[in-house]
Amino acid sequence: MSQGVTYADLRFVRTPPERSQEKGTWNQLDQIQMPPSVPHPSAPLPDPSEGELTYENVQGPPGQEERTPTATEGRKESDRRTWYANLALLAACLCLLTTAIGLGVQYWQVSRQLQQANEDGSALARRIGSKEGSLAQAQVQLEEAKEELHSTNETLRSCWAAGNRTQEKLRQANESLMLTQQEKEKLQQQLDQTMKSLEEAKSCQEIGCCPHGWNLFRWKCLWISNNTKSWGDSWAACKRESSQLLVLKPWSAKQLWGATFIDKRTQYWIGLEGKWYKKWVDGTNYEGTENIGTCRSRGNCVQMSNRALQWCGCSTKARYICEKNAQ
């Protein structure tokens, strides 16, 4: 059609007879899905008996009259639609063929992959079985090694305990040996001093080194009082004789108590005082190891009685012992 022509009361004629023959062909294409923009070839044409279709205000070339489609044009239209349907059917077949080929190729690939995976799985299963056997053997060896290690640890602990006991015994033996060595050295010093005192005493007895009435005991001249005094009066009496109260050094009360000039039935003041600070009358500290007891009259002055020492009251009356060096 040309532009500018106006159609009013445009009518479509009934379907030509030729199209009824092609109806069976178009029915076969009903199942082919066409795009929405293209009209389906099997869509029926309008029937003129159903009424008239009027297009209003449609402009076209002036002066052109209505015309009715001819049979030739209907056949051309039918051939064109048939060609489109065959082309669409061919495209659908090609698409289906391509899809089938693709699915076949994918099936073949998946089958090959599955077969390869099965082969790999079998090999992996064999390797896993071999590894499990090796692991079980290693587990047995590990258990044996653990038992052997436990036995070795027990033996090592026993040896370590025995070594510790031996070390302790050795330490105790070394301490005993050191103490014995110290005692030996101390005894040797005492023996040397005793021998020296003995030699000096022999010479002193020969020349008479102690005043009359004094007794020689280990290079000291001792005087035993016959009367009793308090500790302070005894200290003063010894001073008047140019001497001092007895200082028990380097010997002990037991050693002095065995001398023949000591009366075993009495008590004697000696030169030790101060229960808390323990000082001899010569100003030196008490370093003895004897246990000093307590008499009935408790105090801060020391008496010698029955081979032992006692703290007594300083005002108590008792005999005393004075000392001075032998000349």
Side-chain angles (χ1 to χ4, degrees):
M1 289 180 209
S2 301
Q3 294 181 356
V5 179
T6 300
Y7 292 91
D9 299 331
L10 181 62
R11 296 175 179 271
F12 290 93
V13 295
R14 186 178 300 271
T15 304
E18 294 85 358
R19 292 187 179 179
S20 61
Q21 299 175 0
E22 300 172 0
K23 188 174 182 180
T25 304
W26 291 110
N27 290 334
Q28 296 176 1
L29 300 177
D30 285 343
Q31 304 300 322
I32 300 176
Q33 195 172 9
M34 301 300 291
S37 59
V38 180
H40 198 282
S42 63
L45 295 175
D47 191 351
S49 63
E50 294 178 356
E52 296 179 355
L53 296 177
T54 302
Y55 295 88
E56 296 178 358
N57 298 325
V58 177
Q59 295 180 357
Q64 187 173 356
E65 297 179 352
E66 297 180 0
R67 72 181 184 88
T68 302
T70 62
T72 304
E73 291 177 352
R75 284 194 299 273
K76 291 181 179 180
E77 183 68 20
S78 176
D79 294 340
R80 184 171 59 253
R81 290 183 180 181
T82 302
W83 184 83
Y84 285 150
N86 293 333
L87 182 62
L89 182 60
L90 179 61
C93 293
L94 290 175
C95 181
L96 291 175
L97 180 60
T98 304
T99 303
I101 294 173
L103 290 175
V105 171
Q106 290 182 359
Y107 175 78
W108 179 77
Q109 292 178 350
V110 170
S111 300
R112 290 297 302 272
Q113 292 176 357
L114 183 60
Q115 182 180 2
Q116 185 67 29
N118 290 332
E119 294 177 358
D120 294 342
S122 300
L124 182 60
R126 288 193 296 272
R127 288 197 297 270
I128 290 176
S130 177
K131 294 295 183 181
E132 287 179 351
S134 301
L135 182 61
Q137 185 177 1
Q139 188 70 24
V140 173
Q141 294 177 355
L142 180 60
E143 293 296 332
E144 294 177 354
K146 284 183 178 179
E147 293 179 358
E148 185 177 357
L149 179 61
H150 180 70
S151 176
T152 304
N153 287 335
E154 291 294 333
T155 305
L156 182 60
R157 278 195 291 269
S158 300
C159 295
W160 185 265
N164 290 336
R165 290 193 296 269
T166 304
Q167 190 71 19
E168 182 65 20
K169 290 180 180 179
L170 181 61
R171 186 185 64 80
Q172 294 177 358
N174 289 333
E175 291 180 355
S176 301
L177 181 61
M178 291 178 62
L179 292 176
T180 304
Q181 188 68 24
Q182 292 176 359
E183 291 177 358
K184 179 180 178 182
E185 292 176 357
K186 188 182 293 184
L187 291 175
Q188 186 65 36
Q189 291 176 0
Q190 293 178 359
L191 179 60
D192 293 341
Q193 188 173 0
T194 301
M195 294 300 296
K196 182 179 179 181
S197 299
L198 183 60
E199 293 295 332
E200 291 177 351
K202 287 181 179 180
S203 61
C204 184
Q205 288 177 354
E206 292 175 356
I207 62 176
C209 53
C210 289
H212 179 70
W214 293 71
N215 298 289
L216 181 65
F217 185 79
R218 296 188 181 181
W219 201 242
K220 283 185 178 183
C221 296
L222 306 181
W223 184 74
I224 310 300
S225 69
N226 294 321
N227 55 351
T228 59
K229 293 179 180 294
S230 65
W231 188 88
D233 292 340
S234 300
W235 178 82
C238 290
K239 282 293 184 181
R240 287 192 296 270
E241 297 294 332
S242 300
S243 61
Q244 63 183 8
L245 281 173
L246 175 63
V247 177
L248 286 176
K249 290 192 301 185
W251 15 274
S252 64
K254 292 180 180 181
Q255 293 172 338
L256 179 60
W257 200 257
T260 57
F261 51 84
I262 297 296
D263 187 357
K264 310 298 189 295
R265 297 170 298 176
T266 189
Q267 295 84 30
Y268 300 95
W269 288 119
I270 61 174
L272 182 61
E273 65 172 339
K275 190 172 183 179
W276 303 110
Y277 53 87
K278 296 180 183 179
K279 287 281 187 180
W280 294 105
V281 293
D282 61 357
T284 59
N285 295 323
Y286 175 75
E287 297 178 353
T289 59
E290 296 177 274
N291 183 23
I292 303 177
T294 303
C295 63
R296 293 181 180 179
S297 58
R298 298 179 180 180
N300 292 323
C301 297
V302 177
Q303 286 184 2
M304 183 177 64
S305 175
N306 193 20
R307 298 174 178 267
L309 303 179
Q310 295 178 337
W311 291 105
C312 301
C314 296
S315 60
T316 305
K317 301 292 184 179
R319 297 171 68 180
Y320 55 94
I321 302 175
C322 299
E323 71 164 26
K324 60 182 177 181
N325 294 326
Q327 302 295 326

